[in-house]
């Protein structure tokens, strides 16, 4: 009996020990769901990224903006741009809220910057599409203008500036006017370099008629007219801007220069245009209504023409010998009824005809012509000035 009692007590003690051991391993959560009145430790604050809502096809899409140097898989506007769906991106832009427009503008500017480097022609096309849809977004218009400049697309840039001027604010006008003149000057210089003078004149006349910064174009055309010795036309143009705020002083100076050039040769009644051929000048004449081109040669005693160019002149003497630098030539002395040069007519004018052959000329204009005049050859202007000293000139 005593042994049985000892065994029972021992079992109770062993069982309690096991219970205490397991309770130590799994302490009861006695504070669960109770208020902790101790001072809490500070936790790191987690900031949620800004969520932007975009509406497309009546479905709400939540996107997180990212930097443009990585491809966004979340922002629908940029995803469309990246996939080349530009028109779809524009449709999304049009339907977007003003808050979304702020973000989309940054995207589109950076997109055009990258596109301009990779495919400028495509960038220009897409910029024009954007401007057509959103004309009030002037920053894209300025991007397009800069791209035109980089591409040296002068005519497109000029036309685009004029279009912008029509709707420009007062603060934009000064910059646009300045750009218009700078780009126009570059285009004018290009046309002069390539000797495309017909296009140059047409361009200047067109913009004078348009009336946008017309004083610049009037003065530039007048300068060109002075270069080609069209002094009357230049004077008429300069008179239009003589009192212009920006070009009036330049116009007056150019008018003075024209007057000096005209007065300088006022003593000569006739002004005959020449053409430079190598080291010599040629002049157009008529011998008995046959047009010929003669080289100016004040060292030749008589005027000489190719015998194959004229056949109906009166014969004065045949089989005469001419001494030339290339040797002796057989020639005939003949007489023209009328020898004409410019507005001058000489009657019974003697020439010699021979087997003269030279490229770009049918003969020589010799001293038997020049002795009839007081003359001056202006090599810079390529003009022969003449004033009669003989009564045979009509």
């Amino acid at each position: 009996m005593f042994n049985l009692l000892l065994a029972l007590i021992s079992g109770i003690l062993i069982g309690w020990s096991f219970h205490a051991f397991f309770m130590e391993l799994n302490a009861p959560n006695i504070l669960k769901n109770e208020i902790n009145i101790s001072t809490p430790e500070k936790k790191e604050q987690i900031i949620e990224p800004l969520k932007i809502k975009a509406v497309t096809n009546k479905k709400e899409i939540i996107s997180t903006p990212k930097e443009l140097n990585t491809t966004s898989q979340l922002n629908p506007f940029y995803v469309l741009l990246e996939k080349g769906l530009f028109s779809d991106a524009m449709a999304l832009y049009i339907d977007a809220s003003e808050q979304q427009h702020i973000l989309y503008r940054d995207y589109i500017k950076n997109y055009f910057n990258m596109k301009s480097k990779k495919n400028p022609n495509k960038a220009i096309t897409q910029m024009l599409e954007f401007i057509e849809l959103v004309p009030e977004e002037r920053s894209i218009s300025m991007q397009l203008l800069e791209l035109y400049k980089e591409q040296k697309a002068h005519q497109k840039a000029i036309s685009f500036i004029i279009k912008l001027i029509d709707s420009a604010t007062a603060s934009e006008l000064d910059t646009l006017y300045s750009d218009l003149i700078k780009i126009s000057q570059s285009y004018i210089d290009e046309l002069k370099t390539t000797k495309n003078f017909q296009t140059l004149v047409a361009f200047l006349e067109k913009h004078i008629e348009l009336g946008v910064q017309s004083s610049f174009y009037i003065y530039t055309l007048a300068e060109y007219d002075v270069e080609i010795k069209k002094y009357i036309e230049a004077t008429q143009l300069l008179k239009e801007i003589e009192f212009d705020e920006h070009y009036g002083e330049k116009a007056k100076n150019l008018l003075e220069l024209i007057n000096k050039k005209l007065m300088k040769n006022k003593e000569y009644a006739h002004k005959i245009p020449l053409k430079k051929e190598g080291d010599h000048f040629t002049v157009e004449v008529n011998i008995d209504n046959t047009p010929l081109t003669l080289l100016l040669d004040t060292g030749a005693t008589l005027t000489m023409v190719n015998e194959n160019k004229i056949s109906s002149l009166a014969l004065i003497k045949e089989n005469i010998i001419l001494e030339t630098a290339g040797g002796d030539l057989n020639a005939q002395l003949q007489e023209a009824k009328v020898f004409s040069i410019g507005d001058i007519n000489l009657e019974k004018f003697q020439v010699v005809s021979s087997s003269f052959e030279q490229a770009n000329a049918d003969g020589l204009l010799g001293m038997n012509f020049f002795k009839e005049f007081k003359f001056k050859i202006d090599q810079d202007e390529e003009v022969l000035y003449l004033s009669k000293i003989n009564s045979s000139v009509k």
Side-chain angles (χ1 to χ4, degrees):
M1 185 69 179
F2 177 75
N3 290 333
L4 183 60
L5 182 60
L6 284 176
L8 180 60
I9 293 170
S10 297
I12 292 170
L13 291 172
I14 291 170
W16 177 257
S17 296
F18 275 105
H19 173 73
F21 175 74
F22 283 108
M23 287 296 289
E24 186 68 23
L25 290 176
N26 298 286
N29 188 8
I30 61 173
L31 295 179
K32 186 177 182 181
N33 297 325
E34 290 188 10
I35 297 174
N36 188 350
I37 61 174
S38 62
T39 303
E41 296 182 1
K42 292 184 178 180
K43 296 183 179 181
E44 182 179 356
Q45 185 179 6
I46 300 175
I47 300 175
E48 290 290 330
L50 174 64
K51 302 294 183 180
I52 296 175
K53 295 181 181 180
V55 178
T56 178
N57 296 328
K58 298 183 179 180
K59 293 181 180 180
E60 185 175 80
I61 299 175
I62 306 299
S63 61
T64 303
K66 293 187 177 183
E67 295 297 326
L68 286 177
N69 56 8
T70 62
T71 303
S72 172
Q73 299 298 323
L74 297 175
N75 187 284
F77 181 69
Y78 194 65
V79 169
L80 290 172
L81 291 177
E82 282 286 280
K83 289 183 177 180
L85 302 173
F86 186 80
S87 295
D88 293 337
M90 291 302 96
L92 184 61
Y93 187 97
I94 295 299
D95 291 336
S97 66
E98 183 57 36
Q99 183 180 3
Q100 289 169 323
H101 280 168
I102 296 172
L103 176 65
Y104 290 177
R105 285 187 199 114
D106 290 336
Y107 277 140
I108 199 71
K109 289 176 190 175
N110 284 277
Y111 169 79
F112 283 142
N113 280 336
M114 292 185 290
K115 198 72 175 178
S116 297
K117 296 183 178 82
K118 295 178 181 178
N119 191 341
N121 291 331
K122 187 69 174 179
I124 288 172
T125 300
Q126 291 179 342
M127 284 180 182
L128 288 170
E129 183 178 341
F130 180 87
I131 292 166
E132 186 70 24
L133 292 170
V134 195
E136 68 275 8
E137 186 51 67
R138 302 291 276 194
S139 61
I140 303 302
S141 295
M142 295 302 105
Q143 270 188 297
L144 176 57
L145 183 55
E146 290 303 316
L147 183 54
Y148 278 143
K149 291 179 187 177
E150 291 173 11
Q151 295 296 304
K152 297 187 184 303
H154 297 123
Q155 288 180 283
K156 290 181 179 180
I158 291 166
S159 298
F160 186 63
I161 291 173
I162 291 173
K163 186 177 179 181
L164 289 176
I165 286 173
D166 288 340
S167 58
T169 63
S171 60
E172 292 173 331
L173 283 176
D174 285 344
T175 299
L176 290 173
Y177 285 149
S178 177
D179 282 340
L180 177 62
I181 290 175
K182 286 178 183 177
I183 296 172
S184 293
Q185 187 62 62
S186 296
Y187 183 49
I188 290 164
D189 293 341
E190 178 185 296
L191 292 174
K192 285 184 176 181
T193 300
T194 57
K195 300 186 184 303
N196 197 345
F197 300 117
Q198 186 175 356
T199 302
L200 169 63
V201 173
F203 169 76
L204 294 172
E205 290 178 343
K206 172 187 173 182
H207 284 274
I208 290 171
E209 187 175 347
L210 283 175
V212 181
Q213 293 293 286
S214 57
S215 297
F216 164 76
Y217 298 104
I218 290 172
Y219 180 78
T220 305
L221 181 56
E223 273 191 318
Y224 175 70
D225 282 341
V226 171
E227 289 175 16
I228 61 174
K229 318 301 187 297
K230 295 174 68 174
Y231 298 128
I232 295 175
E233 292 85 344
T235 300
Q236 290 172 342
L237 288 167
L238 293 169
K239 287 293 183 180
E240 294 182 34
I241 57 171
E242 191 174 6
F243 302 101
D244 183 80
E245 179 182 358
H246 300 291
Y247 290 91
E249 196 63 32
K250 288 184 176 182
K252 290 175 183 177
N253 291 337
L254 194 53
L255 282 168
E256 288 180 9
L257 178 63
I258 292 171
N259 289 332
K260 287 179 181 178
K261 287 180 176 293
L262 293 175
M263 291 298 294
K264 177 181 176 183
N265 299 301
K266 192 175 180 180
E267 59 186 297
Y268 297 97
H270 307 280
K271 179 181 177 182
I272 312 297
L274 303 176
K275 185 178 179 182
K276 189 75 178 288
E277 295 288 351
D279 295 330
H280 302 279
F281 288 100
T282 63
V283 63
E284 301 298 319
V285 305
N286 270 276
I287 298 180
D288 285 356
N289 295 318
T290 300
L292 299 170
T293 301
L294 302 183
L295 287 168
L296 270 63
D297 189 352
T298 55
T301 304
L302 296 171
T303 296
M304 179 189 297
V305 295
N306 187 322
E307 60 190 2
N308 294 323
K309 298 291 182 176
I310 52 174
S311 58
S312 60
L313 302 185
L315 180 64
I316 298 175
K317 186 176 182 180
E318 60 182 346
N319 297 323
I320 63 174
I321 303 298
L322 297 178
E323 296 180 358
T324 69
D328 293 343
L329 283 178
N330 289 323
Q332 296 81 39
L333 180 63
Q334 296 180 277
E335 184 179 82
K337 293 179 181 178
V338 180
F339 180 92
S340 302
I341 178 170
D343 57 350
I344 298 171
N345 296 315
L346 299 178
E347 296 179 351
K348 296 182 178 181
F349 185 77
Q350 292 186 356
V351 299
V352 291
S353 61
S354 70
S355 58
F356 176 92
E357 292 185 6
Q358 186 165 331
N360 303 318
D362 303 313
L364 306 173
L365 184 61
M367 277 305 297
N368 67 319
F369 169 80
F370 287 107
K371 72 180 182 179
E372 303 283 347
F373 302 92
K374 177 181 179 181
F375 68 92
K376 170 186 172 183
I377 300 172
D378 191 320
Q379 298 187 47
D380 294 329
E381 292 189 1
E382 298 183 4
V383 170
L384 171 63
Y385 289 100
L386 300 167
S387 187
K388 61 182 181 179
I389 56 176
N390 191 297
S391 59
S392 64
V393 178
K394 294 185 180 179

